[in-house]
Amino acid sequence: MVREWDPRTASSAEIASLLETLNAVLATDLPRDPPWRDSSVREYLAEVMPGERRISWVAQAAPAAGGGTGAILGHVHVLLLGDIGVLEVLVHPSVRRSGLGRNLVLTAARRVYQEGFQSIGVEVVGDTPAVAFYESLGFSKEYVETRSVLDLAGVHWAELAGMATGIGAGYHLQFHPGGPPDELIEAYARAKAEVRDVEDGELRPSSYDPQRLRDSLDCLHRRGMRPYIVLALHEQTGEVAGLTEVVVPVQHPTRADQYDTIVAQDHRGYGIDRAIKARMLMELRSAEAELIEVQTWNAQSNEAMLKVNAELGYRPDREWREYSIDVGELVHRLDAGR
């Protein structure tokens, strides 16, 4: 049975069942990724940015003879933002190839179509069954990046400390757990607006407006995700010359997520990119006792950042792809196949 589902009002048993399915998917498709913990999972699923909406559905098994709630074997949600609906589907490995995945996609696609959106996008992890699944539905690959993972146990910390101080004269670094101070928000936003990094996929848009940055940080905290920021400030002007962002989710605190790393055009060539990322790792070592790994995503064409990451010790892991399709075409295709 597929039904619309709201994580805000879902029972604790349903949240736990969904978490079991998520971890079963990770164990099958991404066995080296850490399993999720039962920490702020409800908030992670429920909280969104202002102006965005998330609609969810679950597929449940029939209740056991003794009553209670049937296990959640599938889940789909669509995040409506801008002019696109961003899809995410989970199907328990035990019920794959049963048509459940197609049914979940069709359910979400019909709603996206009814809401007046033109297209649906989805992130697809390379070397998993999801690639063939979405391509069979007619999705087209739009963007590819490489995920790289840094194992902190292999870091040469003395060398890293040298990298963190290897920055040109006239700049200094600041570390800000929780996000940049409000007096730097506007300068922070200007740096992000100037360099709309080609690494940013359409499905994970960055925030370039000061108020939206505040909203984004607030949303991260509500979802149980701890942000850390390192800034490179230009001493003469006080401008933000470079920044790097890392988020540690409470759901998997042993592996952090790298967000944007940006160096403003006028400040390139002074070693800022490597210094801010090295300083971030030094700070995370003290701030996050459970942290074991950091993962980052880069466009395959971004040779400069790939080089910096390699110097820091990151190793390429697998492709991360973005696919999209016209929503009307998707609904027609799925309905015709029923």
Side-chain angles (χ1 to χ4, degrees):
M1 177 184 71
V2 176
R3 63 178 177 87
E4 194 164 335
W5 183 78
D6 187 347
R8 293 179 178 82
T9 57
S11 69
S12 297
E14 288 176 344
I15 296 291
S17 182
L18 177 58
L19 182 62
E20 288 179 7
T21 289
L22 169 61
N23 282 331
V25 169
L26 287 174
T28 301
D29 296 344
L30 296 165
R32 289 185 292 179
D33 281 28
W36 279 38
R37 300 179 183 179
D38 185 13
S39 300
S40 298
V41 174
R42 184 189 305 276
E43 291 77 10
Y44 181 88
L45 294 168
E47 296 294 339
V48 295
M49 292 274 288
E52 297 177 0
R53 286 184 294 142
R54 182 181 284 116
I55 309 171
S56 300
W57 296 262
V58 294
Q60 287 180 277
T69 302
I72 292 179
L73 300 176
H75 173 252
V76 59
H77 71 238
V78 62
L79 180 65
L80 302 175
L81 69 161
D83 59 357
I84 191 171
V86 181
L87 193 67
E88 187 169 335
V89 180
L90 287 174
V91 175
H92 196 284
S94 67
V95 293
R96 287 178 174 174
R97 296 187 172 277
S98 66
L100 177 57
R102 292 174 66 92
N103 193 15
L104 290 169
V105 172
L106 175 58
T107 300
R110 282 175 172 164
R111 175 64 66 87
V112 173
Y113 184 74
Q114 292 166 3
E115 295 275 350
F117 286 75
Q118 298 299 311
S119 62
I120 282 182
V122 62
E123 285 192 338
V124 181
V125 183
D127 298 322
T128 67
V131 173
F133 173 71
Y134 286 106
E135 290 182 353
S136 74
L137 298 183
F139 281 77
S140 298
K141 184 169 60 179
E142 303 288 347
Y143 182 80
V144 180
E145 56 190 352
T146 298
R147 181 178 76 168
S148 299
V149 178
L150 173 65
D151 181 356
L152 296 181
V155 170
H156 191 299
W157 293 101
E159 288 184 5
L160 196 75
M163 293 181 190
T165 57
I167 191 170
Y171 299 93
H172 71 273
L173 305 186
Q174 291 184 355
F175 173 63
H176 295 289
D182 201 64
E183 62 267 21
L184 287 175
I185 282 284
E186 291 192 7
Y188 189 86
R190 283 195 296 271
K192 298 192 75 167
E194 179 188 338
V195 188
R196 298 185 182 227
D197 196 342
V198 295
E199 294 178 42
D200 291 342
E202 291 297 322
L203 307 187
R204 285 185 277 116
S206 214
S207 298
Y208 306 104
D209 171 79
Q211 186 53 51
R212 188 158 179 81
L213 277 169
R214 294 184 183 97
D215 292 338
S216 178
L217 289 164
D218 181 57
C219 185
L220 285 173
H221 286 291
R222 295 198 313 271
R223 298 182 79 196
M225 305 168 78
R226 298 187 289 268
Y228 295 92
I229 311 293
V230 171
L231 304 179
L233 295 181
H234 186 226
E235 293 172 352
Q236 184 176 359
T237 63
E239 286 295 298
V240 173
L243 60 95
T244 191
E245 308 161 334
V246 168
V247 171
V248 180
V250 297
Q251 296 85 8
H252 52 87
T254 62
R255 180 180 285 191
D257 300 328
Q258 174 78 59
Y259 280 31
D260 284 346
T261 296
I262 289 172
V263 179
Q265 186 70 40
D266 290 345
H267 301 282
R268 295 182 176 180
Y270 298 96
I272 292 174
D273 47 4
R274 191 175 71 164
I276 56 179
K277 295 194 79 167
R279 171 68 180 275
M280 174 65 80
L281 294 172
M282 300 291 294
E283 297 289 355
L284 288 173
R285 186 188 188 194
S286 301
E288 292 286 342
E290 292 188 83
L291 192 62
I292 297 172
E293 299 170 311
V294 181
Q295 59 186 0
T296 187
W297 293 263
N298 299 99
Q300 295 174 339
S301 60
N302 192 342
E303 296 180 3
M305 190 55 67
L306 289 171
K307 180 176 183 292
V308 168
N309 286 339
E311 291 172 351
L312 294 169
Y314 285 87
R315 296 293 177 262
D317 175 50
R318 61 177 67 219
E319 285 188 351
W320 222 260
R321 307 176 180 184
E322 292 184 5
Y323 285 77
S324 68
I325 191 172
D326 177 86
V327 66
E329 175 188 339
L330 178 60
V331 171
H332 176 75
R333 181 188 294 262
L334 291 171
D335 275 333
R338 290 173 68 85

